[in-house]
Each structure stands twice: as structure tokens, then as C-alpha cells.
């Protein structure tokens, strides 16, 4: 029911004193009756507040009341005139300041008449919506049974509600692109909002436009692996039947996803067998045959990617995420390797590294404690997959050593000491770090000093006392004292190249 429909009821004789922009076409929310001076704590947004003005003792009270109502998102105040004979001017001015619609109820109309009229209208609307919902559900299911694609159904819903619909994943892959794919900046904003929203559906602001975000399937699932329906506009301003139509389409899209996932699950054993043959160094002809059976396109150059999601119970999530990103770059095969890391063979392209960084990077807001590390080899063919796999493993070790939630490292980034450290086993690097910097780390732990941080900045500044002091906002003498203390604890002379290299590598191994 719309607010404008209330004015069409002759028996209520409501009088509109002030209308905020667009309020008459908004659906009516809950009707709340109150005479509290500050009722905001009892409101959640979108309500019509019915009041007899008993709370008003002075003109200043009108500002307090309206500010409390507007602060919680209520849209309209319906005021009775029995208390003062007319609505006070100070209440009207406060409503104008806060953009809250103000409606007057004449003395001879009881509040009960207003609430009963709204309740009856809402009951009739609910019955009509339920009937329309059943019809839509039957039509959607019939369309699925007759072979209609999800894209066609999305186009039908878009036309019905007047808002463009798209289905995407949390990495930004378009399952249903709608009239056109969203640009990267919009995808970044939409996925960030979806992954961080306290509850769904949510509304995202991107490039000056609003998008409503609905989870496809259960909203209680892992959002990292979820599909989401992105609809142009703010759903909080839509009539209930449009919102219900969107939810119904989400249910149909969830069924479509199950069908697609089952197809990939059926292929997964073939993919695992093919990648196991690559890791074991099997005959090239047999490797090629298995990969073709798994869906790889061997006539195109490939890269090997190795990925790891470091989080308890994340194995299934990691596979789903890697498969999703792989689907966005073309035909690919993904499966766990013998060491538990995920291995993927992806079609090569000049844009691939940036695409992987952007797609995996969109997951960062949803990884508050987990770490995702991805290593990517250079371009290769089926005859050199084993070497490319080792190259990707090296790059993965470098990515794993990074300090960001998501790190994607390509083989051309791995050079000098980075490559050296990536090839050294973790336990060896830990032992080396402890032997070189153990006393310094212990000193910092016991005294809450900043020796390690000062040492890192000192080496980054090529041993310059003044630049280090400036970067850390310290006096030069303080920097000298700390570096001398490091030299005492480590037994190293940082003016000597050999000792400086030892300490540098120990820092990089932390």
C-alpha cells in the first residue's frame, strides 16, 4: 500500500501538510502509535508514526521529536489535532528541516480508524501478493522445465520489475551479465559490500548508482563461494511484490547453480587423475589424453597456477573459489595436488595476471583471518607442464610469505633473494632466522622495544642514519643506539656487506 492511497480514503479526511521528496510512491511500512518525546529506539526505519502530540510542552520539543523519528529512518508523521486544535507550526518547520512527511488527522477521526484502514489494506495486498507469487513460481518452474536459460529468466524478471538483474559471484564473474557486464570499479564496490554487509539483502553504492544485492540460495552460506543477484536500484523503495519476485528468481537461480555444480563434480575425478599424472611425470601422450578428457584445450598456450587458502576447514571453499576464477578466464582444469595444494591449468593471455589479481583480490574483505596465496608459472605447453608446475610452486612460496590477505605472484616476479628463499624449506628458514636474529626478537618481546622495526628501516634506507631517523620520526642518536644494540645482540657488524646480507635474509625469512 502506498501513502498516496491513504489520501484517497474519503472517510479518513487526511490532510497533507508537507511531503518529502518521493514519499507518496513509497510503500507504507509499519504503523506505530506513540506519544513518547523520543521514540527513535522503537523504530527500525520506514515507519509511519501516528501521534496525538501529548509529548509537546514547548516549541523546542517538536525538534526533539522529529529528530528522533528521522534519525531512525521513519518516513512520515501522522499528527492528531485534538491536543491543540491544529498541528503547531513548529512541528511543520521541524519536519521540513528533517525531510519528514507530515500529515494531519482531523479531530473527528479516531486513530483507530486510521490503523484499521491500513491493516485491512495490508491484508488485501498480502493476499494479492501471495496469489501473484504462486503464479510467478509456476511460470518460472515451467520455463526451467521447458529448457529456458537463466539469462532468459533474468531478462523476464527484469522486465516485470523494471530493474536490470545480473547474477555474479564474489570474485566478480558474471554468471548472468544482464544487458551488459558491470565494470571493474562497480564489481569491486558490489562484491566488497556483499562480503562485509551485516545482513542481506544489502544496498551498494557504486559510481553514483545504487545496487540491491540478494544472496542466491540460503543467506546463511559462505559468502565467499556464493552467487549474488545484483539488481539496479534500492530495494527498500520498491513495492513488496517486486521484492518477492526477486526472491523467487533467487530460488530458481539456486536450482540452476546446483545443476552446474553437479556437472563439475562429475568431471572432478578425471581432472584429479590428469593432474596426478602430470605430477608423477607420466608419458606425454597419456597426459595429453587425460587432460583433453578433463576439458582442457591443449591447442592453446597454458599457465600453471598453484593456490592455497590457509584457514581451518577451507578445503572445499578453496576448490570452489579457484574453480570460479578459472571459469572467468576460459576452459580450465582445477584439482588438489598430491601435497594438498590446488593446481590449475589455465588458458594463457597477456591479461591473465591482472585478471587473477583482481578476481582473487575481491575476496580480501571476506578473509579477515584466512590467507590466500597463488603462484603462477610462465606460458607453457603440454610438453613442459612438469617444469611449469615447479615454477608455479616457487611463485606460490613467495606469495605465501607475503603479508597481505590475498597474494598473487607470477614467475616473472620471482628473482634474486626472493627465489632463493622460496626454494628453502620453511623449517630451515625458521632455524636460520632464529640463529641470526633470535636475541633481537627476544629483546623486543621482553622489553617491548623497536629494534627489529628500526633494523628493517635502516636496511631499507641503505644504512643511512639520517633517512632512517626521518622515516621513523626519531632522533639520529636514538637510531645509532638501537643499531649498535642490534650489533651487540647478533655479533654482526652492519657496516660489513657480508653481515648486512646475513641480517637482511634473516629479516626476509621472518
Amino acid at each position: 500500500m502506498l501513502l498516496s492511497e491513504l489520501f484517497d480514503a474519503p472517510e479518513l479526511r487526511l490532510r497533507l501538510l508537507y511531503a518529502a521528496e518521493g514519499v507518496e510512491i513509497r510503500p507504507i511500512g509499519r504503523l506505530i502509535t506513540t506519544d513518547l518525546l523520543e521514540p527513535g529506539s522503537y523504530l527500525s526505519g520506514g515507519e509511519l508514526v501516528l501521534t496525538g502530540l501529548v509529548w509537546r510542552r514547548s516549541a523546542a520539543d517538536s525538534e526533539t521529536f522529529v529528530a528522533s523519528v528521522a534519525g531512525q529512518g521513519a518516513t512520515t508523521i501522522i499528527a492528531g489535532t485534538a491536543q491543540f486544535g491544529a498541528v503547531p507550526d513548529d512541528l511543520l518547520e521541524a519536519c521540513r528541516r528533517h525531510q519528514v512527511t507530515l500529515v494531519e488527522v482531523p479531530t473527528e477521526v479516531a486513530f483507530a480508524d486510521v490503523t484499521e484502514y491500513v491493516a485491512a489494506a495490508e491484508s488485501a495486498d498480502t493476499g494479492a501478493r501471495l496469489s501473484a507469487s504462486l503464479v510467478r513460481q509456476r511460470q518460472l518452474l515451467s520455463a526451467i522445465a521447458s529448457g529456458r536459460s537463466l539469462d532468459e529468466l533474468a531478462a523476464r524478471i527484469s522486465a516485470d520489475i523494471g530493474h536490470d538483474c545480473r547474477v555474479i559471484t564474489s570474485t566478480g564473474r558474471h554468471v548472468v551479465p544482464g544487458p551488459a557486464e558491470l565494470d571493474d570499479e562497480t564489481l569491486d564496490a558490489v562484491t566488497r559490500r556483499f562480503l562485509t554487509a551485516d545482513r542481506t539483502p544489502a544496498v551498494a553504492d557504486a559510481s553514483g548508482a545504487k545496487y540491491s544485492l540478494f544472496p542466491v540460495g540460503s543467506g546463511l552460506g559462505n559468502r565467499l563461494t556464493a552467487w549474488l543477484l545484483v539488481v539496479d536500484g534500492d530495494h527498500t523503495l520498491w513495492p513488496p511484490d517486486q521484492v518477492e519476485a526477486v526472491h523467487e528468481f533467487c530460488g530458481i537461480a539456486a536450482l540452476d547453480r546446483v545443476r552446474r555444480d553437479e556437472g563439475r563434480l562429475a568431471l572432478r575425478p578425471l581432472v584429479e587423475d590428469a593432474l596426478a599424472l602430470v605430477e608423477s611425470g607420466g608419458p606425454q601422450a597419456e597426459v595429453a589424453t587425460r587432460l583433453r578428457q578433463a576439458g582442457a584445450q591443449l591447442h592453446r598456450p597454458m599457465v600453471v597456477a598453484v593456490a592455497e587458502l590457509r584457514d581451518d576447514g577451507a578445503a572445499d571453499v578453496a576448490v570452489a573459489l579457484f574453480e570460479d576464477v578459472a571459469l572467468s578466464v576460459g576452459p580450465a582444469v582445477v584439482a588438489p595436488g598430491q601435497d594438498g595444494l590446488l593446481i590449475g591449468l589455465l588458458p594463457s593471455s597477456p591479461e591473465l595476471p591482472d585478471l587473477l589479481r583482481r578476481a582473487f583480490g575481491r575476496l580480501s574483505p571476506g578473509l579477515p583471518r584466512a590467507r590466500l596465496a597463488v603462484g603462477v608459472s610462465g606460458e607453457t605447453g603440454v610438453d613442459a607442464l612438469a617444469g611449469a608446475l615447479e615454477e608455479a610452486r616457487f611463485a606460490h612460496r613467495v606469495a605465501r610469505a607475503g603479508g597481505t590477505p590475498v597474494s598473487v605472484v607470477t614467475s616473472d616476479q620471482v628473482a634474486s633473494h626472493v627465489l632463493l628463499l622460496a626454494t628453502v624449506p620453511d623449517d630451515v628458514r625458521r632455524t636460520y632466522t632464529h640463529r641470526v636474529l633470535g636475541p633481537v626478537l627476544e629483546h623486543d618481546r621482553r622489553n617491548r622495544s623497536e629494534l627489529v622495526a628500526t633494523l628493517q628501516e635502516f636496511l631499507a634506507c641503505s644504512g643511512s642514519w639520517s633517512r632512517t631517523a626521518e622515516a621513523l620520526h626519531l632522533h639520529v642518536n636514538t637510531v645509532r643506539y638501537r643499531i649498535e644494540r642490534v650489533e651487540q645482540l647478533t655479533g654482526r657488524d652492519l657496516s660489513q656487506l657480508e653481515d648486512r646480507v646475513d641480517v637482511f635474509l634473516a629479516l626476509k625469512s621472518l
Side-chain angles (χ1 to χ4, degrees):
M1 181 180 183
L2 303 180
L3 182 62
S4 58
E5 296 177 47
L6 274 179
F7 300 128
D8 294 335
E11 65 270 29
L12 298 181
R13 287 173 285 170
L14 300 180
R15 180 181 170 211
L16 181 63
L17 301 182
Y18 173 72
E21 184 178 356
V23 73
E24 292 189 12
I25 61 172
R26 286 188 177 186
I28 288 179
R30 291 189 304 158
L31 187 63
I32 302 295
T33 302
T34 182
D35 275 310
L36 295 174
L37 178 60
E38 297 185 63
S41 58
Y42 299 97
L43 306 176
S44 58
E47 292 91 351
L48 274 68
V49 179
L50 190 60
T51 178
L53 306 183
V54 176
W55 47 264
R56 186 182 179 278
R57 296 289 184 268
S58 68
D61 289 341
S62 292
E63 172 64 24
T64 302
F65 180 82
V66 176
S68 177
V69 167
Q72 292 300 317
T75 61
T76 304
I77 294 174
I78 302 179
T81 57
Q83 184 77 4
F84 300 102
V87 172
D89 290 340
D90 47 84
L91 178 61
L92 178 59
E93 291 304 315
C95 286
R96 284 197 177 108
R97 281 194 297 273
H98 291 277
Q99 288 292 296
V100 174
T101 297
L102 180 60
V103 178
E104 181 184 82
V105 182
T107 305
E108 59 271 20
V109 176
F111 281 2
D113 294 337
V114 179
T115 56
E116 288 175 5
Y117 183 88
V118 171
E122 285 294 317
S123 178
D125 286 349
T126 299
R129 288 200 304 270
L130 287 174
S131 177
S133 175
L134 289 173
V135 172
R136 277 196 304 269
Q137 289 178 17
R138 292 192 186 101
Q139 290 175 340
L140 289 172
L141 289 172
S142 176
I144 286 287
S146 64
R148 298 289 185 184
S149 69
L150 196 60
D151 297 70
E152 293 174 296
L153 297 182
R156 175 184 294 183
I157 291 295
S158 298
D160 288 346
I161 67 175
H163 301 279
D164 289 332
C165 297
R166 300 171 179 86
V167 179
I168 68 171
T169 67
S170 294
T171 65
R173 179 172 67 88
H174 285 81
V175 180
V176 176
E181 292 190 356
L182 299 173
D183 60 74
D184 285 334
E185 183 179 350
T186 301
L187 283 174
D188 291 344
V190 164
T191 53
R192 185 187 311 112
R193 175 64 177 144
F194 179 70
L195 291 173
T196 58
D198 293 333
R199 57 185 178 181
T200 54
V203 178
D205 291 294
S207 304
K210 291 187 179 295
Y211 298 89
S212 295
L213 315 178
F214 295 80
V216 172
S218 172
L220 301 177
N222 192 322
R223 293 188 192 175
L224 289 171
T225 58
W227 284 10
L228 61 145
L229 179 65
V230 181
V231 190
D232 292 359
D234 183 348
H235 72 277
T236 63
L237 307 179
W238 301 346
D241 60 325
Q242 291 188 1
V243 178
E244 288 176 5
V246 169
H247 281 297
E248 290 158 9
F249 175 73
C250 286
I252 296 299
L255 294 175
D256 187 78
R257 181 182 183 176
V258 170
R259 177 182 59 79
R260 300 189 192 202
D261 288 347
E262 286 176 348
R264 282 196 294 276
L265 285 172
L267 278 177
R268 193 169 291 172
L270 291 175
V271 175
E272 292 175 355
D273 289 344
L275 290 180
L277 202 59
V278 172
E279 288 191 276
S280 64
Q284 180 180 329
E286 188 175 354
V287 168
T289 300
R290 294 287 184 88
L291 288 175
R292 287 193 190 92
Q293 292 172 343
Q297 295 187 352
L298 303 184
H299 62 281
R300 298 176 55 183
M302 297 178 290
V303 299
V304 179
V306 172
E308 177 186 21
L309 181 61
R310 301 175 69 179
D311 187 18
D312 292 339
D316 292 339
V317 172
V319 173
L321 293 177
F322 201 0
E323 284 183 338
D324 184 58
V325 173
L327 286 170
S328 67
V329 302
V333 294
V334 175
Q338 294 174 353
D339 55 1
L341 300 179
L342 291 174
I343 300 173
L345 306 183
L346 315 179
S348 178
S349 71
E351 302 80 19
L352 181 62
D354 289 338
L355 190 153
L356 293 178
R357 289 190 184 94
R358 191 135 205 174
F360 282 120
R362 291 192 178 106
L363 302 172
S364 294
L367 296 170
R369 291 175 297 275
R371 294 274 302 281
L372 178 62
V374 183
V376 185
S377 76
E379 191 173 280
T380 187
V382 69
D383 57 338
L385 284 177
L389 178 56
E390 286 306 308
E391 195 176 316
R393 288 188 190 278
F394 286 145
H396 164 261
R397 290 179 187 174
V398 176
R400 190 179 184 186
T404 57
V406 176
S407 179
V408 178
V409 174
T410 58
S411 59
D412 57 2
Q413 294 176 275
V414 181
S416 65
H417 70 277
V418 180
L419 177 59
L420 175 64
L421 293 176
T423 60
V424 175
D426 291 347
D427 56 344
V428 176
R429 287 194 290 114
R430 284 194 294 267
T431 300
Y432 177 76
T433 300
H434 178 73
R435 287 181 179 176
V436 176
L437 293 178
V440 181
L441 296 169
E442 179 63 20
H443 184 279
D444 274 357
R445 187 187 66 79
R446 285 189 287 108
N447 300 286
R448 296 185 179 180
S449 53
E450 299 288 337
L451 295 185
V452 171
T454 305
L455 175 61
Q456 288 174 323
E457 193 61 40
F458 179 71
L459 295 179
C461 293
S462 302
S464 169
W465 305 103
S466 59
R467 282 196 290 145
T468 304
E470 183 179 355
L472 296 176
H473 305 289
L474 298 173
H475 193 278
V476 171
N477 289 342
T478 303
V479 175
R480 288 183 182 276
Y481 166 76
R482 290 183 180 180
I483 296 303
E484 288 173 0
R485 188 71 179 119
V486 169
E487 290 179 329
Q488 293 169 5
L489 291 169
T490 61
R492 311 276 174 161
D493 181 358
L494 294 180
S495 65
Q496 299 296 316
L497 177 62
E498 293 84 354
D499 286 350
R500 191 178 292 187
V501 169
D502 287 344
V503 173
F504 174 79
L505 292 175
L507 283 171
K508 291 298 182 181
S509 297
L510 282 173

